[in-house]
Amino acid sequence: MRNWSENKIELVLIRHGATKANQEHRYLGKTDESLSPEGIEELKKARQKGFYPAVDSLFVSPMKRCMETAEILYPDKAVIPIQEFEEMDFGIFEGKNYLDLQNDKRYQAWIDSNGTLPFPEGESREDFIRRCEQGFRKMIDSIRDNHAQGTIKAGAIVHGGTIMSVLSSFYGGDYFDYQIQNGKGYICKLKGNTYEISHIGILSGVSS
């Protein structure tokens, strides 16, 4: 790895566009669902308005909704899949929403735990966060190994849970502090050879 002590990475984390399950407030994890027509249209309008900054490298979760978002927002940019960025496995809650689950004792127990219990037959938050941390380190290592020194601009189109995991781990704060709507995201800055994020801001449509 090159000496990056005086170099910077600017990273934009973008949550994929909306799917039908997102619009119906259903748990969408391992189901490989495509974007909805409304989600596609919202992304196209935001791109036309210059909402998404240019990037040198583009990383994605390999799930359809992220790959399709990347094709809309950065059609000329090759993508680099990061397997560890896939969304959480919601187990028996997958595809269901609050109304479907309101009488399920397992769901009530999960709510009462503030989401700290593992999803029944699914993934625990701790395991998911650990997986996303591995993916983040892999992504940052790839950026540093494949770019000359200087300020590098990179993008990652991932899931809401992935963003919450990465920011709570490498910037600080609570997991739920970083909930973000579909198609929205954060601008992050990293410096030197660490993986720690030194600054974040809400993606606000500054084109570059």
Side-chain angles (χ1 to χ4, degrees), residues 71-186:
E71 177 62 27
I72 292 168
L73 301 188
Y74 298 99
D76 300 322
K77 186 66 64 176
V79 299
I80 304 168
I82 301 288
Q83 197 77 35
E84 292 86 349
F85 280 166
E86 288 188 357
E87 181 60 288
M88 184 184 287
D89 182 353
F90 294 120
I92 64 170
F93 298 164
E94 181 77 14
K96 300 177 181 177
N97 59 23
Y98 170 75
L99 292 176
D100 299 326
L101 294 165
Q102 58 183 336
N103 296 319
D104 191 321
K105 293 181 179 179
R106 294 167 296 183
Y107 182 66
Q108 190 57 55
W110 183 82
I111 292 292
D112 292 342
S113 76
N114 194 33
T116 58
L117 284 177
F119 287 96
E121 301 178 24
E123 199 168 10
S124 71
R125 189 197 300 180
E126 290 79 8
D127 287 344
F128 175 62
I129 290 174
R130 192 176 302 115
R131 170 161 65 80
C132 291
E133 289 173 347
Q134 292 171 351
F136 184 78
R137 292 189 181 98
K138 180 188 291 186
M139 176 179 68
I140 298 303
D141 287 346
S142 175
I143 293 170
R144 289 172 173 153
D145 288 344
N146 291 287
H147 289 280
Q149 296 183 359
T151 298
I152 303 302
K153 296 182 178 181
I157 298 177
V158 293
H159 307 273
T162 312
I163 292 174
M164 292 191 287
S165 296
V166 165
L167 293 184
S168 60
S169 294
F170 295 99
Y171 185 68
D174 184 74
Y175 179 80
F176 291 109
D177 289 345
Y178 304 106
Q179 295 183 82
I180 198 80
Q181 295 178 335
N182 293 103
K184 304 297 193 298
Y186 294 92

Side-chain angles (χ1 to χ4, degrees), residues 25-80:
H25 305 290
R26 298 183 182 278
Y27 285 97
L28 178 62
K30 291 300 184 182
T31 303
D32 205 9
E33 184 171 273
S34 291
L35 299 176
S36 68
E38 295 86 356
I40 291 171
E41 190 62 26
E42 288 172 359
L43 290 174
K44 288 181 176 179
K45 287 180 179 179
R47 178 177 178 266
Q48 289 171 357
K49 293 178 180 178
F51 188 77
Y52 302 100
V55 297
D56 301 306
S57 297
L58 183 62
F59 298 83
V60 295
S61 158
M63 303 190 82
K64 286 179 183 177
R65 50 196 184 271
C66 294
M67 298 289 285
E68 291 170 358
T69 299
E71 177 62 27
I72 292 168
L73 301 188
Y74 298 99
D76 300 322
K77 186 66 64 176
V79 299
I80 304 168

